[in-house]
Amino acid sequence: MTSLKVNGVTVNFPFPPYDCQTVYMSKVMECLQKRVNGVLESPTGTGKTLCLLCATLAWRENFKDTISARKIATRLKGEEMFPNTSLSSWGTAATDGDSPAHYTDVPKIIYASRTHTQLAQVVNELKSTSYRPKMCVLGSREQLCINQEVMRQESNHVKVHMCRAKVSTRSCVYYNNVEEKSTDRDVVNSILDVEDLIKFGNKQRVCPYYLSRSLKQQADVIFTPYNYLLDPKSRRAHNIELNGAVVIFDEAHNVEKTCEESTSFDLSPYDVASAISVVDRLLVEQAKEVSRGGSVTEDFNVESFNSGLKLDLKTIAKVKQILLDLEAAIDSYDVPSDRGITKPGIFIYELLARAHLTYDTKTAVYEALEQIIGHLAGQPGIFLNTSGLQKLADIIQLVFCGEPAEKDRQQRMEFNTAHFKVHIHRDTSHHKRKQSADVWASSSSNKQGNILSYWCFSPGFSMQDLVNQGVRCIILTSGTLSPLSSFTSEMRIEFPVSLENSHVIERDQIFVSVIARGPDNVQLSSAFDRRFVPENMASLGNTVANLSRVVPHGLLVFFPSFPLMEKTLEFWRASGHADRIENVKPMFVEPKGKGAFTEVIDGYYNKVNDSTSKGGSFFAVCRGKASEGLDFADTFGRGVIITGLPFPPKLDPRVILKMQFLDEMCRKKVPGLKYLSGQDWYRQQAFRAVNQAIGRVIRHKEDYGAIFLCDQRFKNCDARAQLPAWIKPYVRLYDGFGNVVRDASQFFRVAQKMRPIVEKTTTTKETVRLPDAPSCSSYQSPHAQKAKVLDAHLPSLKRRRLNEQSGASGMAKICIEYESELQEGHRRPANLLDALEQDDQSSVPVGEEKVNHLSTLSLQYDKRMVDELRGGKRKIKLVQRQKPSVCEDVSEEGNSSRAKTFLADMKKSLSQVTFDRIIQALQTYKKTDDLDLLLTETAVLSEDANTHSLLRGLYQFVRPHHKKQFDENCQELTGQGCGYKPEHSLSKDERKAVMLHSATDRQPVAGLTDSSTYSQLNTQQLNHGGRHLIQQGLQQVHSGSSSKSEVHAAFLSDVKKALGAEKSAQLFQAITSYKKTNNYEDLVTTVVSLFTERDENFGLLVRFGMFIRPHHKKQYKEMLDVLMGEPVSVADEVPADNEEQQRRDEASVLLPLKTQTKISSFFSSSQR
C-alpha cells in the first residue's frame, strides 16, 4: 500500500500510482474540496474507478478527522494536546470553510454507474483498497427479491404491488427477518455486491431488497444504477436523500440519454386499451360484489381482501371515463401516416385537461390508480395486465410535478415543459405485438390508433433537478466523453473542473489505421447511399477476412446498427466471405435479446482460450451490450474493426425533433448558455459511440491491440478530431490495403515479442470481465518483466528513448541510419559506413516507422545473432546465375545484425563518456573519410587488454580502401590483426565484377561450406570452382531462358484464369512499375488486393515471391507468414512438379535486377 498527498489529503493507494492517476485524483479532490462539479475523461485501463474510490474515501475520512479536531479543540479551550502538532494540521483543509459540528454532517458518497454488472466491478475494486466504509448496493425487486411466489409474476409492476401486499400483511417470511439481520455485523461491516446480498439472503432467509434499503440509512457509500437518481419517481421510491451528498456518475457517456429517457414517455393505444379492459373487469367484479351485498367470496383470501379496494363503483367509473376521454383526445388528431404532429411541450397540459387530468385532480386520480393496481396484483387466479394503468400513474407523476399555488401554475407549467415536445404519430407496430396474456383483453386492444409521445430533449432538465436537491458536487467521468465542450454544454450546469487524461500505454502498444479502400480498391463507406451496395459489402468482407489473418487471437467487429449487421452478414454468407472468416476465426454474433447473449459471449471466450484455435471473431453493434459494458482484455480483444459511423437514424421523429430543438435554442441565444447545433449533436452521437467501441481494445497497462477504422469518412480531419485525445497521435492514413497488412503484421510481431502472452489455458472468463484489474494490482505482470528483460538485452528495443524525427544520436542514430539504407533498393551498402554515407545523400527523414522497423529486425535477428556470437553455423544458399546478389544480400543482413550486437556490447563495456566519444569518431569518419582521426580517437581502446577486441571490432565499420591500414594498426597496438584478406579491399563494384565474371565462366557453384562466411570468400575459388564449395550438390547451368519461361508461363496462365484479363493487366502493370521505381509498397498494395479476395488465390500470392527483388524478399516473406498463419519456406514460394523443376524455381525466386528486366519484358510480350 502506497500513501501519497493529494491536495493536502493523505490517500492510500494499492500501488505506486502512475502520473495520470495522480492527476486524476487531484482533479477529484479539487471538486470535493471546492464544492464544484467536474467532468473527467480518463481512458479505459488508467484505473479511474480505483482513483475515484480512493480519492473520495480519503477525503471523507479527512472530513471526519476535521470534525474530531474541532471537537477536541472545543474541549481543550485553546490548550494544545500535542505541543509539536497544531490542530490546524489535522485535516481542516478538507472542508474548505465548512463548519461541520456533527459526524452526521459528513457527506454521503453516492456512486452511480449504468448497470449492476458495472457496479459489481466497482465493488470488487473497493475490496482491493484499504478503505472499509459502510456501504450498500441498491437494486430493484426484480434483481433482489428471493420470494418465489413474487418472482413468478410476469410483469415487474405486478411484482412490486404483490411484494407491497405481502409486506403490509407481514406474510413474507424473508421480510419479517430484515429488522433482526440488518444489524448483523457480518452484513454491516462487509463489502457486498448484489450477488453477495442474494447469497446472504438465501442463507439467512432474509429479504435482500429490504435489507439493502435498511443498510442505506447508515451507509457511507451508496452504489446505485444511475437511472435510480435521474428518474424522479425511482428516486422517490428508493428514498435517496441527496442534500449535501457527493454524486459520482461513472461510465457517464450514457448519462445524457438516460436523463432524457427517464423524463419521457410513449403512451400507445395498446396501453390505454389494456387499462380500459382491466378497469372494465374490475367494474364487473365489484358490481357482482355489490349485488351480493358486499359479502366476501371464497375466491378472496385474507391477503387480497386486506390489500384490496377501498374505492366505490363511482370512483372506478370515473377512472374509466378518464381513460376513454384520453383515448378519444389522442385519436382525435388526423395524423399523416409518414409523419406525426408536433406541438410545444406545454400542449401536454391542454391534451390531458380534455381527459379531466389537471393539477386539481391529479392527486385523487393517482391514488385511485395505485389502489386499483394494488388490488389487482393481490388477487389470485389469472394474470391481469395492469401495465397501462401503471404507465398512466407514472405520467401523472412526471407531468404534474411540484405543488404550485393557483397563481404560479402557468409559470410552473412553462418551466416543466421548456425542454419538451409533444409528438402524436400513428401506431404502426400493432401487427408485431405478441398475443396478450390477458384472455379478457377486449378487441380494442388490437386496434390501430395514435401514440402520444412526450419527449425531453435536454439532459440538463434532470441535472438541474439534482442540483436543486442540494448536492455538494456532481462528478461525471468516463473513458469516452470527448469532445468535452459539447458534452458539458448539453448538461446545462457548470463544470469548473475538467480533465482529458492521457493513457498509461506506450506507442508500441497501439496501432490505429484508417482504411479508406478494401483489398479490391473499392471505397469503404457505411453512408446511407453506400451501405447496401454489393461492391461495398463485398469489399468490407474482403477487408475483414484479410484482417482476421493478421490480428492474433480475438477480433471484434462493430457495425453501426443491427439491421446493417444482419444484412451484411447475410450477404457474406451468400458470397462466401463468411466462410473465409469462419475458417480463420469462428464467428460469434451479438444477439438482440438479453437471454442468448451470455451463451454467445461465453462461446467466444472459450474459442479464444482454445490453444488449438487461431482465435475467434465477435460481431457486434455500436451502442450494444458488447460495446458498452464488457471487458475484452488481452487476447479477447487484440483488434477492433469499426465498419462505419453509427449515426442515429435521421428519419426517426425523435432525432429530427432533437435537432430542431437544438437549432431553436441556438437561435434564441440565451445569455450564459451555449447550445450545440442540431448537426453538431448528430455527429457527436456517432463519434461517441465509435469512441466507446474502440475503448474495448486497451484495457490495462500491459495490453496491446489494433484499431481499424474502415470507412473513408475517417480520412477527414474533422472526423479524426472527434476521436479521444489519447488515440489521435497514433492514427495513420492508408491509401493501399497492402500497406495496412504490412504495418499491422509488423506491429503484432513486435508486440508479441515484447509482451508474450500467458498460455491460453490459464486464462479464465472472470479475468476478462473485470476491467482495469491488472492496472490495480501491486505485483508486476509477466508481460512487464519480459519487456524489461528484452529492453536490457536488446538496446535497439528501447524505442521510447530514440528521438522520433532523426534527432537521435549515438548508437541509435547509427543503427537507424543503417536500417533506413538497408531498405533502399537502388544501391545496397556493403557495410555500415556505406549506409551512413548514403544517408547524407537521402532527403527522407528517419521517422517513426523506421524506428519501429529497427525493433522488428532486431527481434527477428535475435536468435541468429546469439548463434553467430557462439560460433554457430550460418546457412547461406547460393543459386546459379544469382551468386553475386544472394551472397551480397545475406552478407548485408549479417553485417546489420553483427553491427547492432557489437554496438550494444560496446555500450555495456565502456563508460558513457568513452562510448559517446567512439560513436562521435565513427560519425566524423563517415563524413570526412579521415582514418587518421578515427585511429587517434579510438586509440583509447588499446590501453586496456579487455577492450582490444572492441578495437578490432571496429574493423567492420572501416571502408574497403582503409581496411589494410586499420588491420596493421591493430596488429601494432594489440598484437593481433583483424583478419584482413586482400578481397576485403575490393570495392562493392569490384566485388560484383568478380562475381559476375565467375558466373559467366559457368562454373558449378551451389553454395559455401557451413563454416564459411562471405567475408572469407576467396576470389580464386569462385573463379575456378571446386568440391570445397559444394553444399547440397552441384547443378549445371541451363542455357537460354526456356526453363524460366516455363515457370513464368505456367504462373501467367494461372493468374489469367484466377483474376481475368482486366485484373491480370493491372498486375502486370504493377510489376512493370516495380521494375522502374523499385517501389515495394505500391507493388504489395496491388498484389495483396488482387490475390486475397478469394482464399483459393493465396497460392498465387505465395508463388508471386519469384518476382520480389532480394532486398525486399524478407519483408515479403514476413507478410506471407502472417497471412498464411505459418512460416512459408523459400522452396514453397514457387511450387514445382518435380525435383528438377524445384531447383529451377528456387533460382527464379532470387532473381537479380537484370533478370527482373527479362521477366517484365516477358510479361509485356505475353500481354501483347
Side-chain angles (χ1 to χ4, degrees), residues 256 260 418-421 456-460 486-487 489-492 648 654-670 673-685:
E256 173 199 355
E260 293 180 356
H419 300 98
F420 289 79
K421 294 283 185 185
C456 176
F457 293 115
S458 174
S486 62
F487 181 81
S489 68
E490 281 270 87
M491 293 296 127
R492 308 263 60 84
R654 196 163 183 172
V655 173
I656 295 171
L657 291 176
K658 171 77 174 184
M659 296 173 70
Q660 290 176 356
F661 170 82
L662 291 172
D663 289 337
E664 286 174 16
M665 290 299 172
C666 285
R667 286 193 293 271
K668 286 182 180 178
K669 295 182 179 178
V670 180
L673 292 179
K674 181 183 178 183
Y675 280 87
L676 283 173
S677 69
Q679 193 61 36
D680 288 342
W681 171 85
Y682 187 70
R683 287 172 55 79
Q684 172 200 280
Q685 293 302 299

Side-chain angles (χ1 to χ4, degrees), residues 4 6 11-29 32 40 42-43 45-59 109 111 122 125-126 128-129 131 248 250 475 477 499 501-502 504 772 775-776:
L4 68 153
V6 179
V11 179
N12 294 324
F13 208 66
F15 53 87
Y18 314 131
D19 290 342
C20 63
Q21 291 175 327
T22 303
V23 170
Y24 186 88
M25 286 190 283
S26 175
K27 291 291 185 179
V28 172
M29 205 67 74
L32 298 171
L40 314 176
S42 191
T46 54
K48 64 179 180 298
T49 301
L50 191 66
C51 293
L52 267 174
L53 291 171
C54 290
T56 52
L57 293 174
W59 170 82
I109 309 297
Y111 195 112
V122 176
E125 293 280 20
L126 178 58
S128 69
T129 72
Y131 298 100
I248 297 172
D250 198 359
I475 298 175
T477 185
L499 172 68
N501 217 353
S502 58
V504 292
D772 305 338
S775 63
C776 303

Side-chain angles (χ1 to χ4, degrees), residues 671-710:
L673 292 179
K674 181 183 178 183
Y675 280 87
L676 283 173
S677 69
Q679 193 61 36
D680 288 342
W681 171 85
Y682 187 70
R683 287 172 55 79
Q684 172 200 280
Q685 293 302 299
F687 283 99
R688 191 159 289 152
V690 167
N691 295 344
Q692 188 63 20
I694 63 182
R696 304 303 95 199
V697 73
I698 302 292
R699 306 300 296 180
H700 58 82
K701 186 176 185 294
E702 293 297 329
D703 205 355
Y704 64 88
I707 299 166
F708 304 97
L709 306 173
C710 299

Side-chain angles (χ1 to χ4, degrees), residues 306-324:
N306 289 341
S307 63
L309 221 49
K310 297 183 178 68
L311 300 175
D312 55 22
L313 281 174
K314 186 177 180 181
T315 304
I316 299 173
K318 283 182 178 179
V319 171
K320 179 179 178 181
Q321 189 60 49
I322 287 172
L323 291 168
L324 290 171

Side-chain angles (χ1 to χ4, degrees), residues 522-537:
V522 173
Q523 196 173 68
L524 298 174
S525 174
S526 66
F528 185 76
D529 58 342
R530 287 277 302 162
R531 58 179 58 183
F532 295 129
V533 174
E535 290 80 5
N536 183 69
M537 290 193 288

Side-chain angles (χ1 to χ4, degrees), residues 546-585:
N546 288 331
L547 292 178
S548 68
R549 293 178 174 274
V550 176
V551 177
H553 310 299
L555 175 66
L556 309 175
V557 184
F558 287 102
F559 286 84
S561 65
F562 270 110
L564 180 56
M565 179 173 73
E566 290 166 356
K567 186 83 172 178
T568 303
L569 291 179
E570 181 184 340
F571 177 86
W572 288 356
R573 291 186 187 104
S575 61
H577 293 92
D579 291 336
R580 291 179 57 195
I581 301 169
E582 184 77 24
N583 290 337
V584 181
K585 294 187 187 299

Side-chain angles (χ1 to χ4, degrees), residues 271-481:
D271 294 324
V272 180
S274 66
I276 294 171
S277 297
V278 170
V279 175
D280 266 341
R281 168 76 177 161
L282 183 61
L283 277 171
V284 172
E285 174 192 297
Q286 293 299 305
K288 289 180 181 178
E289 288 293 311
V290 171
S291 66
R292 286 200 296 265
S295 61
V296 180
T297 66
E298 295 178 1
D299 292 335
F300 276 78
N301 57 31
V302 176
E303 180 182 317
S304 65
F305 179 73
N306 289 341
S307 63
L309 221 49
K310 297 183 178 68
L311 300 175
D312 55 22
L313 281 174
K314 186 177 180 181
T315 304
I316 299 173
K318 283 182 178 179
V319 171
K320 179 179 178 181
Q321 189 60 49
I322 287 172
L323 291 168
L324 290 171
D325 290 343
L326 180 61
E327 183 181 51
I330 296 171
D331 288 342
S332 66
Y333 293 93
D334 186 15
V335 179
S337 58
D338 58 336
R339 64 185 187 277
I341 298 173
T342 303
K343 301 280 188 179
I346 200 167
F347 176 76
I348 192 70
Y349 292 106
E350 180 184 330
L351 183 66
L352 293 178
R354 292 170 61 181
H356 311 289
L357 287 172
T358 65
Y359 265 105
D360 292 328
T361 63
K362 64 149 185 166
T363 303
V365 175
Y366 177 78
E367 289 177 353
L369 291 171
E370 285 290 292
Q371 281 264 355
I372 293 170
I373 295 167
H375 170 72
L376 294 174
Q379 276 200 341
I382 196 156
F383 168 74
L384 287 172
N385 186 357
T386 56
S387 60
L389 289 173
Q390 185 65 51
K391 181 169 283 190
L392 182 58
D394 292 343
I395 288 171
I396 291 172
Q397 277 192 303
L398 173 65
V399 175
F400 297 100
C401 60
E403 297 289 345
E406 183 72 33
K407 60 184 177 65
D408 299 327
R409 239 171 231 180
Q410 185 64 28
Q411 184 180 352
R412 178 70 190 194
M413 289 190 295
E414 290 175 358
F415 175 79
N416 286 350
T417 59
H419 300 98
F420 289 79
K421 294 283 185 185
V422 175
H423 187 68
I424 302 172
H425 51 110
R426 300 293 289 174
D427 178 20
T428 58
S429 62
H430 66 282
H431 58 280
K432 299 178 184 177
R433 188 178 303 115
K434 295 179 181 178
Q435 184 64 37
S436 171
D438 182 4
V439 296
W440 283 285
S442 67
S443 59
S444 64
S445 64
N446 290 322
K447 76 169 197 171
Q448 187 173 5
N450 293 339
I451 295 176
L452 171 65
S453 294
Y454 183 63
W455 291 331
C456 176
F457 293 115
S458 174
F461 182 78
S462 294
M463 280 293 161
Q464 191 61 54
D465 188 30
L466 287 183
V467 172
N468 294 340
Q469 299 292 321
V471 297
R472 181 184 182 90
C473 63
I474 298 172
I475 298 175
L476 304 181
T477 185
S478 177
T480 48
L481 294 177

Side-chain angles (χ1 to χ4, degrees), residues 590-610:
E590 178 181 7
K592 283 186 178 179
K594 293 180 180 179
F597 184 86
T598 302
E599 182 181 349
V600 173
I601 196 67
D602 285 348
Y604 170 74
Y605 288 149
N606 292 334
K607 180 57 67 175
V608 175
N609 269 333
D610 185 358

